[in-house]
Structure formats: structure tokens, C-alpha cells
Amino acid sequence: MFAVIKTGGRQYRVVPNDVLEIGKIAGDVGTIVQLGEVLVLGGDTPVLGTPTVAGATVAAEVLQHKRGAKVIAFKKRRRKNSRRKRGYRDELTVLRITEILADNAKPTIGPRPKKEKVVAAPAEDGEDAAPKAAKKKAPAKAPAAKKAPAKKAAAKA
């Protein structure tokens, strides 16, 4: 099943689990928002809206608020010593489509739980994992330093 939604003056064809960037909308990161302007509900029997499909919404999880790439507006009037350089970045919201709802249904899928960072288990000897990593790096540097004097000694002989 797919839907065509309209937001921010643009139209998007979406299916569940799509990730898309749209113009900034209200909503905190990790919450579910409903997009109400559904123009088409597709599937076995497509439903076209006039102009929107009554009772249809699309539920989406807000993943991130960010800014888009910089756009430069440069104007120059030749031979007039007149130049204007102005830039801006669009405010964007990244969404993951969770479900496509019809007939005034409420969203049943909540936001995904955040992944927890995996912490390395401490060693049996009671040493931390960080000192072991430091110990591994130190021997790698020492043989390289020993090889250089050996070459000098071979060159002198």
C-alpha cells in the first residue's frame, strides 16, 4: 500500500518504512506525527481524493531536525561595481513513515526504541578494556624504532 501526501507545498509518494526529508514541521525527535493531506491511497483499489482523501492520514516518526545544503544567491551587475552574495540553508525534518491509515484510524505503531550503546565487559583480571588497547598500541611502535638503528649499523659495517 502506498500514499501520496502533500506537505510544505510538495508532494511525496510514500510507503511504510520510507525515510524522507521534508520542510521543517512541528514535533520533537522520537515522536509520532500525523500528516493529514493525503491525495491518493494506493493498493489493490486506489482511492483518489477530491482534493484529499477523507479520513486518511499518514503516521510518521520524527528522526531528526537538520539544515540542508547551503544555497548561494549571487547577483552581479556588470560594469557597475555592484555585487551581492547571500546564502541560506533550508530547515528540514527527517521522517520515517510508520503506517498509512484510513477511515479516521489512530496510529498503532509507536516510535522505535533507541539503541543503547554496547559497553565492553571488564576483563577477568579486573583491568579495564581501555588500558589493554593502550598496551596493544605501545608494542607496535617499539619494533619500528628498533629497526631503524639496525639499518644504520648495517650501513656502517
Side-chain angles (χ1 to χ4, degrees), residues 1-48:
M1 179 177 220
F2 73 91
V4 177
I5 60 170
K6 181 179 177 185
T7 179
R10 296 182 178 164
Q11 297 176 8
Y12 302 93
R13 181 187 182 273
V14 296
V15 296
N17 293 323
D18 266 357
V19 176
L20 66 143
E21 293 180 355
I22 63 172
K24 187 169 184 176
I25 59 173
D28 295 329
V29 174
T31 59
I32 299 292
V33 295
Q34 290 189 12
L35 305 171
E37 279 194 88
V38 178
L39 305 175
V40 176
L41 278 179
D44 295 335
T45 57
V47 179
L48 301 176

Side-chain angles (χ1 to χ4, degrees), residues 24-33 60-66 92-96 110-114:
K24 187 169 184 176
I25 59 173
D28 295 329
V29 174
T31 59
I32 299 292
V33 295
E61 178 185 1
V62 177
L63 298 179
Q64 177 185 10
H65 292 293
K66 67 177 194 175
L92 301 174
T93 300
V94 180
L95 298 176
R96 176 184 291 118
R112 292 185 180 182
K114 291 184 179 180

Side-chain angles (χ1 to χ4, degrees), residues 64-105:
Q64 177 185 10
H65 292 293
K66 67 177 194 175
R67 299 179 75 195
K70 184 178 280 190
V71 177
I72 303 295
F74 183 76
K75 296 180 180 181
K76 179 179 180 181
R77 294 169 193 88
R78 59 186 186 160
R79 299 185 302 271
K80 305 294 184 196
N81 195 23
S82 172
R83 294 184 297 180
R84 295 291 175 265
K85 183 177 179 182
R86 183 177 154 276
Y88 72 94
R89 297 174 69 182
D90 284 332
E91 299 288 330
L92 301 174
T93 300
V94 180
L95 298 176
R96 176 184 291 118
I97 305 300
T98 55
E99 359 178 34
I100 298 170
L101 307 164
D103 301 327
N104 293 322

